[in-house]
Amino acid sequence: MTTLPQSQSPDDLEFAARRRSFDIQNALRGDWHGDSAFKTAWFNALSLLFPLGEKFFIDSVVHYKDEVHDPRLATEIAAFRAQEATHRIQHQRYNELLCELRGYALDAFEVSQRKRIAWAYRELTPRRRLAGTVASEHLTAIMAHDMLSHDDVLAGADPRIAELWQWHGVEETEHKAVAFDVYLAVGGTVKERRRALLLNTFFFFKDAFRNLCIMLKSDGKLWSVREWASGFKYLFIKPGILRRVFRTWLHFFRRDFHPWEFDNRYLVAEWESSERNEHLKSSSH
Ligand SMILES: [Fe+2]
Ligand SMILES: [Fe+2]
């Protein structure tokens, strides 16, 4: 049994799940992101991946909880589990409301993800599944960082839905290294996590674009050149949210990479202080 610290997070890092609910029902009915069908469908497509994905993340981390002897990492696993479980609940509600309000079939979005998760349980070792989770957590962490540090990602979005995305991004930032530290503690290798990132990035975008196309088709906008041109611009040119995260995506391939090599907790602090101001404003009315 090792007594070495297994958590490599900053010493004063503390986080817990925030119990939240969001008033999103009315906004989800329409194109809530800048009146853009593409941007709306892009975020909705991501939301549709979370309930199944986050269950997989929780299970692959919790599988190793008895091998974690560092009490700090054990506490972080518990907080990670609580945060991801809350995200699942909120995104499940989001997805059910979305499908009900816009006439989509929820099953159609989840079918390929369900199949792949079943394949992962059948074919992959628990540690390889954990490597997949580590890779996915890198993707969510870099996208959350980009969203929290640039107003242009959610500019023009309905504030009630933007609130949900920001809350999720903040918690993804706080727990970004938990799966990674568990992976190191159980002897995860650099080669395995690099391969997992390549594979997971491919499937993440494949699923996201698949969901996006299902929605645009159902909305009668799948062949709209205008939507695709503006969507391409949003993702790759200006603001270019995927172009912007490419450099930090690459950091993961470095041998000595660790998610906390870049301490971006200032974004959490900024979000918390803006939340406090909002609360003060609303309670003074
Ligand atoms: Fe999450
Ligand atoms: Fe996460």
Side-chain angles (χ1 to χ4, degrees), residues 45-271:
L46 298 184
S47 176
L48 285 154
L49 300 177
F50 286 129
L52 291 175
E54 292 182 315
K55 178 172 191 322
F56 182 85
F57 304 161
I58 294 172
D59 293 344
S60 53
V61 168
V62 169
H63 176 86
Y64 284 107
K65 73 178 193 327
D66 294 339
E67 290 184 41
V68 169
H69 312 300
D70 175 351
R72 268 193 68 205
L73 186 53
T75 307
E76 286 172 11
I77 292 175
F80 164 82
R81 184 182 197 166
Q83 286 190 332
E84 295 290 38
T86 318
H87 303 167
R88 284 193 65 205
I89 294 167
Q90 292 305 326
H91 281 278
Q92 184 68 29
R93 179 172 169 264
Y94 179 128
N95 300 344
E96 282 171 12
L97 279 170
L98 175 77
C99 290
E100 193 185 305
L101 293 166
R102 300 195 60 151
Y104 305 144
L106 187 57
D107 278 353
F109 296 109
E110 293 185 334
V111 63
S112 76
Q113 206 185 5
R114 273 186 206 284
K115 274 192 205 150
R116 207 168 39 264
I117 290 172
W119 169 83
Y121 275 98
R122 212 172 46 240
E123 303 290 337
L124 303 181
T125 62
R127 210 188 68 192
R128 176 59 186 78
R129 293 200 293 271
L130 181 61
T133 297
V134 171
S136 300
E137 287 285 284
H138 182 59
L139 296 178
T140 50
I142 61 180
M143 289 173 74
H145 175 82
D146 187 68
M147 179 183 71
L148 295 171
S149 49
H150 297 95
D151 290 341
D152 52 17
V153 179
L154 287 168
D158 182 279
R160 293 159 298 184
I161 302 187
E163 209 186 304
L164 179 147
W165 284 101
Q166 279 160 343
W167 157 80
H168 195 167
V170 161
E171 296 198 347
E172 288 303 319
T173 303
E174 292 175 315
H175 73 228
K176 65 178 177 173
V178 177
F180 195 96
D181 284 344
V182 173
Y183 182 69
L184 289 186
V186 299
T189 67
V190 175
K191 189 176 163 198
E192 189 183 48
R193 72 167 165 83
R194 282 175 179 156
R195 288 175 58 171
L197 184 64
L198 289 174
L199 209 69
N200 279 44
T201 305
F202 173 78
F203 283 115
F204 176 76
F205 287 110
K206 179 179 161 287
D207 287 343
F209 277 99
R210 185 179 166 275
N211 287 352
L212 176 90
C213 290
I214 295 174
M215 278 182 272
L216 289 179
K217 188 171 177 204
S218 163
D219 299 346
K221 295 195 172 141
L222 184 61
W223 303 107
S224 159
V225 175
R226 209 177 121 247
E227 286 303 335
W228 281 96
S230 81
F232 183 83
K233 185 173 165 214
Y234 177 72
L235 296 180
F236 298 105
I237 303 169
K238 197 171 172 230
I241 59 173
L242 297 182
R243 172 184 54 77
R244 275 196 312 226
V245 298
F246 181 64
R247 228 160 40 127
T248 38
W249 180 79
L250 284 177
H251 290 174
F252 192 85
F253 291 97
R254 282 205 343 263
R255 177 162 294 279
D256 61 349
F257 170 79
H258 187 273
W260 282 119
E261 68 189 18
F262 175 45
D263 189 348
N264 58 348
R265 282 176 297 162
Y266 62 91
L267 293 170
V268 178
E270 279 170 16
W271 175 80

